[in-house]
Amino acid sequence: MSGQREPVRIFSGIQPTGRKHLGNFLGGVQQFVEGQHRGDAVYCIVNMHATTIAYAPEALRERVYDTQALLIAAGVDPDKCVLFRQSDVAEHGVLCWLLSSVTAYGELGRMHQFKEKSVQQRDLVSTGLFLYPVLQAADILLYQAQEVPVGEDQRQHLELTRNLAQRFNARFGETFTVPRIRVPKTAARVMDLQDPTAKMSTSARGDAGTVHVLDDPDTIAQKVRSAMTDSGREVRLSPEKPGISNLIEIYAGIPAVDRRGRGAIRPNDLWPIQERRL
Ligand code: AQP
């Protein structure tokens, strides 16, 4: 035995839908970049998840490439991690089916994301949308991931994934690694700049509260300047001050070199995120 520890297996996914925003970047993508330097990282563009709501096939196909380009621009390096398209690996769908048989119907009905997204669907609330967290569990368990870097909004899905792995193992013998969630210490849940009680999201109604990663600098500055803040002059983190707290979290979450406008993010200068404090 060499005594060397195996690198931690990291898995995460990102949807090729809509325009990626600051929440996706701070909650997800920044962690992808950090993970590829620390562990055995596997990242997936989850185009099958994107078919659970109405979509145009041509546009979705293109967005896979756009998302891949964004990830690479943000520092995800295919020489340091595995980066792939979900639909290229048929086993994601196969495992989703097997896991669906150890998933209680009631568990899926309690998922916040399903409840929120199903009311946004005008014509059809698909079974795919209902099964979305089971496919996500399959994505993760298929690679025996130990760690899953995501934003705070994915905590409930990760808890379900852990439950499914434990249930499957108990019924059929040790099969899956039970993964742990990894959320950033700061900016784990970036809120909408115009409504700091709602998460910054791709499907937000208006554009003013969402900073898209491809917005130009003037637009970003304008959105931040117009952000809704709170009454009083105090600048502090507090649940009573959701607007100011959101801006502080965002500021703390953005890498220092970027804040000073010195150009590209250099992950090795900035990580691990756990060490960063306000
Ligand atoms: N507001 C957020 N704050 C922090 N992290 C966030 N993530 C999403 N929103 C926030 C994290 O981004 C990663 C990729 O998420 P996704 O693939 O689900 O992308 P999306 O569908 O574009 O994300 P949205 O905005 O959450 O979509 P809608 O509006 O459809 O609900 C994940 O790690 C996620 O946690």
Side-chain angles (χ1 to χ4, degrees):
M1 278 192 16
S2 67
Q4 268 198 329
R5 284 175 60 188
E6 289 283 313
V8 60
R9 170 61 62 87
I10 299 168
F11 177 91
S12 197
I14 184 164
Q15 290 200 71
T17 42
R19 291 189 287 161
K20 292 294 140 189
H21 53 76
L22 193 57
N24 299 137
F25 180 73
L26 297 180
V29 179
Q30 271 207 119
Q31 298 206 83
F32 292 10
V33 177
E34 183 273 337
Q36 72 189 359
H37 297 286
R38 181 171 51 83
D40 177 11
V42 180
Y43 301 128
C44 181
I45 298 177
V46 291
N47 56 338
M48 283 154 64
H49 283 275
T51 64
T52 60
I53 55 172
Y55 70 103
E58 268 309 314
L60 180 57
R61 212 167 287 131
E62 281 305 307
R63 281 194 170 140
V64 171
Y65 297 114
D66 293 347
T67 305
Q68 181 186 20
L70 273 178
L71 291 176
I72 291 171
V76 173
D77 180 350
D79 288 335
K80 296 198 168 64
C81 65
V82 175
L83 178 60
F84 71 104
R85 176 171 52 187
Q86 185 183 31
S87 60
D88 287 338
V89 182
E91 285 80 358
H92 287 249
V94 175
L95 184 55
C96 173
W97 183 249
L98 290 175
L99 291 175
S100 72
S101 301
V102 294
T103 310
Y105 183 85
E107 280 178 308
L108 295 182
R110 286 194 290 277
M111 295 291 124
H112 306 309
Q113 186 174 296
F114 174 71
K115 288 187 199 164
E116 281 157 24
K117 289 212 171 160
S118 53
V119 293
Q120 293 163 6
Q121 305 311 304
R122 289 221 185 126
D123 301 330
L124 178 91
V125 177
S126 72
T127 309
L129 189 61
F130 192 62
L131 282 177
Y132 184 113
V134 186
L135 180 58
Q136 187 173 349
D139 300 339
I140 296 165
L141 300 182
L142 199 55
Y143 297 93
Q144 304 290 8
Q146 294 159 294
E147 190 180 291
V148 185
V150 283
E152 183 61 43
D153 60 315
Q154 291 302 315
R155 186 175 291 279
Q156 194 186 30
H157 286 177
L158 256 292
E159 273 160 17
L160 178 76
T161 301
R162 288 171 56 82
N163 289 341
L164 296 188
Q166 283 159 348
R167 200 173 298 155
F168 197 99
N169 289 350
R171 278 203 196 167
F172 304 112
E174 277 310 302
T175 310
F176 297 119
T177 303
V178 180
R180 59 182 176 272
I181 186 170
R182 182 178 165 108
V183 297
K185 273 270 156 68
T186 50
R189 188 180 183 84
V190 176
M191 308 307 274
D192 189 287
L193 295 183
Q194 289 302 318
D195 177 5
T197 60
K199 116 181 152 97
M200 191 177 282
S201 128
T202 309
S203 46
R205 277 235 189 98
D207 196 46
T210 308
V211 174
H212 299 288
V213 294
L214 293 183
D215 280 346
D216 62 71
D218 289 343
T219 305
I220 295 174
Q222 174 60 31
K223 286 180 179 177
V224 173
R225 272 194 225 106
S226 323
M228 182 179 281
T229 52
D230 317 279
S231 55
R233 299 172 62 89
E234 257 180 303
V235 176
R236 65 182 163 91
L237 266 181
S238 157
E240 293 141 34
K241 292 185 153 280
I244 285 291
S245 297
N246 189 35
L247 292 177
I248 296 173
E249 287 275 344
I250 291 172
Y251 189 70
I254 291 173
V257 280
D258 247 24
R259 267 195 248 139
R260 292 195 297 266
R262 292 213 189 139
I265 305 166
R266 292 183 301 164
N268 288 336
D269 292 345
L270 304 165
W271 299 95
I273 38 180
Q274 283 90 341
E275 284 168 20
R276 267 193 288 140
R277 294 283 180 273
L278 286 179

